[in-house]
Amino acid sequence: MPDIAPRPRMATTTKIGIGLVILLFWTFIANDWEDKGCTKTQGYGFVLTHGGWPDAHEGCEDGYGDRPRYTSDYDR
């Protein structure tokens, strides 16, 4: 059986760098949701649940209490 060299592993600093880039990108997209009237926390969630940037008709409007709620009929 021939000797097969083990695959080189990704360095820890590379993994950390990739993670930071992903977090920065996620924050950048979440800011677009915040511009549409949503809270920052909602923006992070909507990036995951709605697949990224808000469409022109998506955003948040005044909801119950202090928290805005999602609407697919956003017109501001």
Side-chain angles (χ1 to χ4, degrees):
M1 188 169 204
D3 290 336
I4 298 174
R7 270 189 333 174
R9 297 179 59 118
M10 192 180 311
T12 302
T13 54
T14 304
K15 291 177 188 177
I16 291 170
I18 290 170
L20 287 174
V21 168
I22 290 170
L23 285 174
L24 287 172
F25 190 65
W26 190 19
T27 301
F28 176 74
I29 299 172
N31 283 335
D32 282 353
W33 281 99
E34 193 175 17
D35 292 342
K36 295 277 203 136
C38 303
T39 65
K40 179 71 84 177
T41 306
Q42 287 174 320
Y44 284 116
F46 290 149
V47 169
L48 297 176
T49 59
H50 292 274
W53 286 276
D55 292 332
H57 60 87
E58 293 179 316
C60 290
E61 61 186 14
D62 293 335
Y64 305 109
D66 296 349
R67 190 171 178 155
R69 63 182 176 85
Y70 170 80
T71 181
S72 61
D73 190 24
Y74 185 78
D75 61 354
R76 291 186 210 169

